[in-house]
Amino acid sequence: MTLFDALILGALEGVTEFLPISSTGHLILASQLLGLQQTAAHKAFEVSIQLGSILAVLFLYAKRLMQDKMLWLKIGVAFLPAGALGFLFYKQIKALFGVETVSIMLIAGGIVFLLFEYLRRDKPIDSGKDVSELTVKEAFTIGVFQSLSMIPGTSRSGATLIGGLVIGLSRKSAAEFSFLLAIPTMIIATAYDLLKHRNEMVVDDYFMLSVAFITAFVFALATVKLFVTFVSRHTFTPFAIYRIVVGVIFFYFVATLPA
């Protein structure tokens, strides 16, 4: 991996982590284009740089997290489904990491978003309740939706956004809870992956990891702010179309290439 590769992957992670287009899927596809093999160490790298994006959320929502103790409980309960499944089926989930799976799930997720927006076509753009009105039971339901994102290309953000809207959150609130739920999810996933692959990461990997980490943090700061503003005024249809287009392109022009 070169410095250019690390910068590209870091920027891509920072921009896509909180958009419903699958950051993991984009990192896998970008790595393919950059000629980076999906070794165990590289997969750990892709997961680890997501922590840079998560720190951006902590930075932006620190005051709210310190003031609302119940919010931590809701986040913790919502984390449980994905946490349990990730621990039990770690090897099976990692085996799914590939361009073909990502392409298919990008397309499938895009179709789901289009159908969802069609069903909600008569509702005001940002109708719904605030995160403060979210019950523990509803938080767990969003967590169940998040567990679906363990399939690469599904999008953790996309799954939790849909879950939030299903239980009645406004688009803005669904986005914010999705950001906050990423904190325990990605911190634990990062720590677990680094522990599992600590013998495979060489010194150079940690330098590139630092570069990508910082880049992801900077880009995530801007993306989170812009995304909250966007979803307060617009539907998710542009992201749905993007997912389908990218999924089709990679399915036909990349997935068929020899490894």
Side-chain angles (χ1 to χ4, degrees), residues 140-208:
F140 183 81
T141 300
I142 295 176
V144 173
F145 274 86
Q146 176 176 248
S147 65
L148 300 175
S149 67
M150 299 182 125
I151 304 174
T154 302
S155 171
R156 190 205 61 79
S157 174
T160 52
L161 284 171
I162 291 292
L165 293 176
V166 166
I167 57 91
L169 289 179
S170 67
R171 292 174 187 269
K172 178 182 178 181
S173 295
E176 290 182 332
F177 191 73
S178 176
F179 300 156
L180 296 171
L181 181 51
I183 296 172
T185 303
M186 299 317 305
I187 287 178
I188 293 175
T190 298
Y192 188 67
D193 249 352
L194 286 177
L195 180 64
K196 290 279 290 185
H197 300 287
R198 62 187 182 280
N199 295 325
E200 300 168 47
M201 298 280 279
V202 297
V203 175
D204 286 346
D205 289 330
Y206 287 107
F207 172 72
M208 296 304 174

Side-chain angles (χ1 to χ4, degrees), residues 85-255:
L85 290 175
F87 179 76
L88 293 173
F89 300 104
Y90 178 84
K91 289 184 179 179
Q92 291 85 346
I93 293 169
K94 283 298 180 181
L96 295 173
F97 278 55
V99 178
E100 293 86 352
T101 303
V102 169
S103 300
I104 292 171
M105 294 311 298
L106 279 172
I107 296 170
I111 293 172
V112 169
F113 266 108
L114 287 178
L115 290 174
F116 191 82
E117 290 295 357
Y118 176 77
L119 295 174
R120 289 175 58 90
R121 64 190 183 281
D122 296 325
K123 292 186 177 182
I125 284 292
D126 203 32
S127 60
K129 56 188 178 183
D130 187 74
V131 172
S132 61
E133 302 174 79
L134 184 70
T135 67
V136 173
K137 182 178 179 181
E138 289 171 337
F140 183 81
T141 300
I142 295 176
V144 173
F145 274 86
Q146 176 176 248
S147 65
L148 300 175
S149 67
M150 299 182 125
I151 304 174
T154 302
S155 171
R156 190 205 61 79
S157 174
T160 52
L161 284 171
I162 291 292
L165 293 176
V166 166
I167 57 91
L169 289 179
S170 67
R171 292 174 187 269
K172 178 182 178 181
S173 295
E176 290 182 332
F177 191 73
S178 176
F179 300 156
L180 296 171
L181 181 51
I183 296 172
T185 303
M186 299 317 305
I187 287 178
I188 293 175
T190 298
Y192 188 67
D193 249 352
L194 286 177
L195 180 64
K196 290 279 290 185
H197 300 287
R198 62 187 182 280
N199 295 325
E200 300 168 47
M201 298 280 279
V202 297
V203 175
D204 286 346
D205 289 330
Y206 287 107
F207 172 72
M208 296 304 174
L209 179 61
S210 299
V211 170
F213 181 96
I214 295 171
T215 305
F217 175 82
V218 173
F219 276 81
L221 280 176
T223 301
V224 168
K225 292 180 179 180
L226 291 172
F227 187 59
V228 169
T229 300
F230 180 88
V231 298
S232 298
R233 305 172 183 174
H234 305 281
T235 70
F236 295 116
T237 299
F239 298 106
I241 295 173
Y242 173 83
R243 288 179 64 108
I244 294 171
V245 170
V246 172
V248 169
I249 290 174
F250 276 94
F251 186 79
Y252 284 105
F253 295 100
V254 177

Side-chain angles (χ1 to χ4, degrees), residues 27-58:
L27 288 175
I28 292 173
L29 297 175
S31 295
Q32 178 91 2
L33 289 176
L34 293 170
L36 302 172
Q37 295 186 347
Q38 285 292 322
T39 62
H42 187 71
K43 289 178 182 178
F45 173 91
E46 291 175 338
V47 172
S48 299
I49 63 174
Q50 295 176 21
L51 186 57
S53 298
I54 303 311
L55 286 182
V57 173
L58 280 170

Side-chain angles (χ1 to χ4, degrees), residues 51-96:
L51 186 57
S53 298
I54 303 311
L55 286 182
V57 173
L58 280 170
F59 179 82
L60 291 171
Y61 289 91
K63 184 177 180 180
R64 186 168 185 176
L65 287 168
M66 288 188 290
Q67 293 177 340
D68 190 347
K69 300 297 188 294
M70 277 299 296
L71 183 56
W72 278 110
L73 174 62
K74 296 171 187 177
I75 293 170
V77 169
F79 165 74
L80 292 177
L85 290 175
F87 179 76
L88 293 173
F89 300 104
Y90 178 84
K91 289 184 179 179
Q92 291 85 346
I93 293 169
K94 283 298 180 181
L96 295 173

